[in-house]
Structure formats: C-alpha cells, structure tokens
Amino acid sequence: MCASNRKVPLRSISTDVDSGEVPVTASVDRLVSTASARTGKHGWLSRLRSYFILDPLIWLYTLAFGLVSIPASFFGDRERMLHRFARGWSWMIMQTIFSPVTVTGLDHIASSRPHVYAVNHASALDIPVLYVYLPFQFRIAFKKELLSYPIVGWHLKRSGQIGVDQQNPAGSIGSIRSALKSLKGGMPLVIFPEGGRTPDGELKPFLPGAFFLAIKAGVDIVPVALLGTYELLPMNTYHIKCRPLEMRVGQPIPTAGLSGHDMQALSDKVHKAVAALYHAPRSPASPLS
C-alpha cells in the first residue's frame, strides 16, 4: 500500500527536533530553497540544458550499461558484476549532472556488518546517489511495477534486488524470503519506507511493514537522509536543476528482541531519526547553505 501524502500543518511545527516534528527554521529554509529552485537560475537555459543534454545522456548511459550488463552477468559472480555496472552507471550520471554530494556520518557505521538502510525518497536520482556514495554492495527493495520497464526491469530481476508488490503483499513472499536469507548472509538492504517518492519535498509517513525484514533478521536499521534531491529532480518532470546535495547518515537503531508487534513503534522511531537528519540546521560549511 502507498503512504498518504500528508503534509505537516504549519501550526503543528515545533522548534524541538527531539520531539520528532519539523523545526521552524529548517522548514522555512526548505520552502525558500524549493521556491528558488523553481525560479531564477533554473530558467529556460537550465531547461534546455536538461532536455537536450543531461536527459539524453542519462538515457544513453542507461541503454549502454543495461545492454552490456545483461550478457556480462553470465560470467563470474552475477550479482557482484551487476552491482558494479549499476555503480558505474550511477557514477556517470553524477558526473554529468554537476551535483557534488557531501556525506556525513557514514564513517561511524560498521560496513562489515549487514544493516537495513532506511532512506527518504524524493527523486529518481536518489538511486545513483546511493550507488555511488554507499561504498559496499547492497540490495534495494523496489516496487514490482518497475519490472515492466525494458532494461531497468531486466537488470533488477537478474541482480537480486527485492521486488515488492504493494497491491498484493502475499505475492511478494518469495522475494521477502530471499531478502531475509540475503540479510542473514551479510548483504545490506536499502529500503524506502515512505513507499514511494514524496510529491512535495516533505517527509511522508513510513509504512511499518517496511521494517519486517530488519526485525526478522535481527539487524540494526541505519537512518539516512538525502537532502537536495527533491529540488534536483522532483516527480513529474525531466528538468534537472543541478545543485549540491547532502547524504546524512545517522546512528544505527537496534532491533534485537523486537517482534512483529513492535513494527509500528520501530517505524515511528526510525521516522523520527530520519526527520531529525533531514531537518537539522545546515552548517555554514554545507554546500546547501
């Protein structure tokens, strides 16, 4: 099921980050940032650059890497090989869109241990950011509708990613079992617990079921906030507005001793952690300041 696109009313906004609500200053900064992204320097020249240079290059990378990766995956370690292709594809995209990424907090994570990385989802370009800046192999939980796309669907299916049918969860049992086995075997998993991209740049409620695998595998959940990707490329447009980005990684949240009855409380806790990262004041050195 998809999460509802519920906005936080202005009167409910608090200045207390620990309360789990949106700080006023961060909210105002984000509104100003979003408004400026739609005007001024991102006018017609930006649109022409995006429509006639950036977008065609990304489609070319997708076609080239996709067509080469499928036959290449028949040799050696298929899933490792396809992860490398996905990372190469992502690196080319990030180099093309002139959007440097500042990463904070990742050095505190023991990457040798499997974790579930819970990431806010604001843009189609979230995927290249994660592939480039998470320096290890991982799997992604994705909506099964993506399997219908040529090349992308082929890659997802052959690379061992986790397809979830949000309309018929029972139909995803095989994928869930595979993901659980993979997690227990040491393979990290990336999830987008909002259930889809945000339509307005604000963090949506999390789906409690997204944390089922973390509880069953007994692995910690790492909150991750991507900043600037909504302004870079929101839904329903091909206009890429080149800008600096941030990836903020929080402290792991343990799941040891939890059961299915704790999914809602765990979901709320992770949501609060991601929101705190997402709305935290930007340091003067931040490229988004």
Side-chain angles (χ1 to χ4, degrees):
M1 297 186 303
C2 294
S4 60
N5 299 333
R6 179 171 57 86
K7 295 183 180 179
V8 178
L10 186 60
R11 61 178 178 275
S12 70
I13 293 176
S14 166
T15 57
D16 184 2
V17 174
D18 291 335
S19 69
E21 298 177 349
V22 180
V24 170
T25 54
S27 182
V28 171
D29 285 347
R30 194 164 303 286
L31 288 172
V32 172
S33 176
T34 302
S36 65
R38 293 172 179 166
T39 59
K41 64 180 181 180
H42 296 118
W44 283 107
L45 286 178
S46 173
R47 289 181 180 275
L48 290 173
R49 177 181 62 181
S50 183
Y51 297 156
F52 292 101
I53 300 176
L54 304 185
D55 291 338
L57 282 174
I58 291 174
W59 294 332
L60 177 62
Y61 301 154
T62 303
L63 181 64
F65 276 86
L67 291 179
V68 173
S69 70
I70 300 303
S73 68
F74 286 97
F75 303 95
D77 186 333
R78 181 183 70 190
E79 294 179 356
R80 182 181 296 275
M81 176 77 71
L82 288 174
H83 185 87
R84 288 175 178 170
F85 270 98
R87 199 168 190 211
W89 167 79
S90 299
W91 185 86
M92 290 292 292
I93 290 174
M94 296 307 297
Q95 293 299 306
T96 299
I97 63 176
F98 308 109
S99 297
V101 179
T102 299
V103 180
T104 55
L106 188 59
D107 52 332
H108 301 305
I109 304 300
S111 59
S112 59
R113 297 175 52 192
H115 296 93
V116 170
Y117 292 82
V119 188
N120 65 298
H121 199 12
S123 171
L125 293 176
D126 292 341
I127 304 298
V129 172
L130 293 170
Y131 267 109
V132 172
Y133 293 97
L134 288 179
F136 44 79
Q137 191 180 173
F138 56 84
R139 299 290 176 263
I140 292 181
F142 69 93
K143 294 189 291 186
K144 272 197 170 178
E145 299 94 281
L146 294 177
L147 291 175
S148 62
Y149 290 87
I151 301 178
V152 173
W154 305 340
H155 181 93
L156 289 171
K157 190 171 183 178
R158 286 193 57 78
S159 60
Q161 310 306 324
I162 314 303
V164 178
D165 188 342
Q166 294 180 324
Q167 306 304 319
N168 179 27
S172 305
I173 291 177
S175 293
I176 291 172
R177 286 176 177 166
S178 175
L180 184 57
K181 181 179 179 181
S182 182
L183 258 179
K184 288 182 174 180
M187 180 62 67
L189 176 66
V190 170
I191 63 172
F192 298 109
E194 294 165 280
R197 285 175 288 171
T198 173
D200 56 11
E202 292 300 323
L203 198 63
K204 293 161 58 180
F206 285 179
L207 304 177
F211 302 99
F212 171 80
L213 284 169
I215 291 175
K216 292 294 288 183
V219 300
D220 294 349
I221 298 169
V222 177
V224 179
L226 297 180
L227 282 75
T229 57
Y230 173 76
E231 293 82 3
L232 174 70
L233 183 67
M235 292 175 63
N236 304 319
T237 181
Y238 291 106
H239 181 193
I240 299 172
K241 308 176 187 72
C242 304
R243 54 178 287 114
L245 309 172
E246 279 193 67
M247 184 173 82
R248 298 175 177 176
V249 182
Q251 292 297 321
I253 297 172
T255 65
L258 300 183
S259 69
H261 298 292
D262 301 305
M263 280 197 296
Q264 183 62 62
L266 179 62
S267 175
D268 294 340
K269 187 173 183 178
V270 178
H271 187 281
K272 181 178 177 181
V274 174
L277 291 168
Y278 190 65
H279 295 291
R282 296 163 184 157
S283 66
S286 169
L288 294 179
S289 299

